[in-house]
Amino acid sequence: MQKRTVHPLTWLFRQCQSHQWMLWLAIVLSLTAAVLALGPYYVVYLIVDHLLAGDGGQHLWWLSMVALALMLGRYVCLLASVYLSHHCAFHIQYHIRRSALDRLAKTTLGFFSQKTSGELKKNLTEDIDRIEVFIAHQLPDLVASVVIPLTTFSLLLVIDARMALIALLPIPLALLCQMALFRDYQSKAEQYHESVEKLNRSVTEFVKAMPVVRLFGIGERSYTQLDRDIQSHQQYIESWTQSAGWPFALFKTVLGSGLVFMVPCGLYFWSQGTLSVSSFLLCILLGVGMLEPLFTLTLLGTYLGQVFEGVARLINIVTLPKLAENVSETPIRNFDIAFRQVDFAYEGQDTPALNQVSVSLPAGSLTALVGPSGAGKSTLAALLAGFWPLKSGEIFIGGQPLSQLSEAQRMDAMALVYQDAFVFTQTVMSNLTMGKDYPMEAVIAAAKAANAHDFICRLPDGYDTVVGQEIRLSGGEKQRLSIARAILKDAPIVVLDEPTSHSDATNQALIQSALNTLIAGKTVLIIAHRLATIQAADQILVMENGAVTDRGTHNQLIERAGWYAEMWQVSQQAQTWSMGQQTQHEEVDCA
Ligand SMILES: Nc1ncnc2c1ncn2[C@@H]1O[C@H](COP(=O)(O)OP(=O)(O)OP(=O)(O)O)[C@@H](O)[C@H]1O
């Protein structure tokens, strides 16, 4: 993840692009509306002045009209400001969402294996929605909250400087309350977020674990942890509310307490003949609400932190490194693959996941990757698919370095089939064609070859059935759909993370026959979890600790009596095991 160097507010303004003038105009209009809001008070002052001078009639009529005009003017300014700020906010939202999605579409696919979909969803929805609230509502409010007290104070200064200064008396008291309110705010806010995250994790785990919980009949005991987290969150909120409650209420009360000082002082000045009744009245009218906006300002201040944190996360997304596109556009002439001294370590990891891997996969051959968990099999396949840029070494396809191929070239050349087949909430047809144009006969032929046609025909609308939400597919059906998708694509290179390993016997047979159609004549790299399926592979690569430690055909590896031969023997024995039979486990020393 890159470090952001630009301030979130500056970055937000930059995102307005052509709409920047609109945002400024919205701010100016909000400012004008705030100033106009004070106009009627001044008119009341003039009216009282005229009345006390016994000067009624025509003047008062005109002054009432001016007050009405000021109110209308304020209304028009507010309306225009709200319209412009919303227009701008929606434009910025759209622009940021597009930029983020565009960058996500161009960054290394490996990035997605480091971010949870929940995190990304939060960034692309909540963080961006907060920007809309900030630009459309809070920015104009922020301006008004600063301008109203300043303008009111200036007016009071003009009317009577003593009354203006007296109106400021609640401020020191309010500051003391604010200090009490925000004492340890940062650490309390962090604890609050931690508590929320802990609760979220517990809820997610509780929901995910429900089938296991039911199966093992541990009912109430299963949510002890969740219950504990709910209680501790509740206690935390209560203790924070208790410690912040009184300064909060006092802060708000103190801000509106100007009258307590202004009325007696004003009466005293009036009795001394140094303040007229109309000026006294105007000072009171203005002083009542002068400091109230500071309360809004305080609330906005806390919200602003969240907006800026969200913007910082978005900046990190839109500045993600793009996949290199230094392409030669030379067509790929053959599809043999070669890894040459490939080293690779995941970000933040000291131990390399791959260490000096050099292997060749001749065009049209089947290569199987085997090895213990964590040996680097998935990493090797992911590098071939271009999910991560290489740290050192090179991968060649048809003699051309992978880094010199465009993403389109790479993706056209490759079909990937994973254990967890992904099905979009779209029609079966769209799931198969992935937005490309294929004749219907080709689609049906691929579905038939993948043993998917029959179950597709049984769906309510056949190939036009929307799957994923109301119509759920079984794991095996999803697998066959994803294999049909790959067959239709007809890519010359196929990368498989053995998709039959989690299936039952019937599905395994159906999927295996579909896979045989898919891989015929292709350059195939398969991550094998069941050794029985790869006996016929042209070569088997044994991986351990990020390196290829052995290679050969099934028979050659059996003869060499290494890791593969040992695992083969274990897998053969496993077939003869039966339920309830005691098995011997080797003690593993984890120290
Ligand atoms: N996204 C990742 N970030 C950091 N480290 C990772 C990541 N993915 C894998 N690793 C680490 O890289 C090493 C190789 O992992 P890899 O998934 O390639 O092994 P594998 O042989 O495919 O294992 P398995 O058979 O269990 O899937 C492991 O030590 C693993 O912990």
Side-chain angles (χ1 to χ4, degrees), residues 110 113-114 346-347 349 353 371-380 388 527 529:
S113 70
Q114 291 197 317
Y346 286 97
E347 244 174 63
Q349 303 286 316
S373 187
K377 307 180 291 291
S378 304
T379 307
L380 191 81
W388 301 98
I527 299 172
H529 300 282

Side-chain angles (χ1 to χ4, degrees), residues 422-442:
F422 189 80
V423 171
F424 295 89
T425 309
Q426 284 179 6
T427 61
V428 171
M429 189 71 181
S430 310
N431 263 292
L432 290 172
T433 58
M434 297 296 287
K436 292 201 172 153
D437 275 338
Y438 292 101
M440 190 63 198
E441 305 80 62

Side-chain angles (χ1 to χ4, degrees), residues 27-247:
I27 290 172
V28 169
L29 284 168
S30 166
L31 202 141
T32 314
V35 174
L36 287 180
L38 300 174
Y41 295 113
Y42 192 68
V43 173
V44 169
Y45 158 74
L46 293 177
I47 288 176
V48 172
D49 224 18
H50 278 288
L51 281 175
L52 289 176
D55 178 15
Q58 194 71 356
H59 273 110
L60 299 188
W61 169 250
W62 276 113
L63 283 172
S64 310
M65 287 298 107
V66 170
L68 189 68
L70 286 170
M71 281 201 296
L72 278 176
R74 179 175 181 239
Y75 167 73
V76 172
C77 286
L78 271 182
L79 192 71
S81 167
V82 166
Y83 173 77
L84 291 174
S85 64
H86 273 79
H87 187 78
C88 227
F90 292 130
H91 169 80
I92 295 177
Q93 245 189 337
Y94 172 77
H95 176 70
I96 295 177
R97 249 190 207 121
R98 281 292 306 266
S99 313
L101 290 173
D102 187 52
R103 188 51 68 103
L104 286 173
K106 290 189 176 127
T107 195
T108 52
L109 286 173
F111 165 77
F112 297 95
S113 70
Q114 291 197 317
K115 273 252 181 190
T116 64
S117 52
E119 270 176 279
L120 275 178
K121 182 180 153 284
K122 187 173 171 296
N123 297 155
L124 296 176
T125 52
E126 277 176 44
D127 287 344
I128 295 183
D129 286 345
R130 271 206 203 108
I131 292 175
E132 189 266 321
V133 177
F134 173 66
I135 301 277
H137 304 269
Q138 294 173 333
L139 200 55
D141 284 355
L142 199 75
V143 173
S145 304
V146 174
V147 168
I148 288 182
L150 285 179
T151 319
T152 312
F153 181 69
S154 312
L155 255 176
L156 281 175
L157 271 182
V158 171
I159 300 160
D160 191 296
R162 295 165 305 171
M163 290 298 273
L165 293 174
I166 289 166
L168 295 181
L169 280 181
I171 288 185
L173 213 55
L175 282 177
L176 285 177
C177 297
Q178 208 183 26
M179 276 160 69
L181 188 62
F182 286 99
R183 197 179 47 211
D184 299 333
Y185 177 80
Q186 191 62 33
S187 75
K188 280 177 185 161
E190 277 166 17
Q191 283 171 32
Y192 173 78
H193 287 301
E194 268 170 33
S195 171
V196 171
E197 271 185 15
K198 204 167 155 198
L199 192 58
N200 281 345
R201 275 199 300 271
S202 284
V203 172
T204 313
E205 189 172 306
F206 176 72
V207 174
K208 273 191 179 164
M210 194 49 76
V212 182
V213 167
R214 290 279 168 84
L215 262 167
F216 284 86
I218 46 178
E220 282 180 16
R221 265 184 298 133
S222 65
Y223 51 83
T224 346
Q225 181 59 40
L226 176 59
D227 199 36
R228 223 179 283 140
D229 289 339
I230 292 174
Q231 277 185 28
S232 95
H233 186 66
Q234 176 83 2
Q235 280 162 4
Y236 183 75
I237 298 274
E238 270 177 23
S239 82
W240 197 4
T241 312
Q242 271 169 16
S243 66
W246 69 265

Side-chain angles (χ1 to χ4, degrees), residues 476-490:
E477 288 169 341
K478 280 194 212 167
Q479 271 303 352
R480 282 177 273 150
L481 209 59
S482 79
I483 294 171
R485 184 192 286 160
I487 292 176
L488 193 60
K489 186 175 178 186
D490 195 26

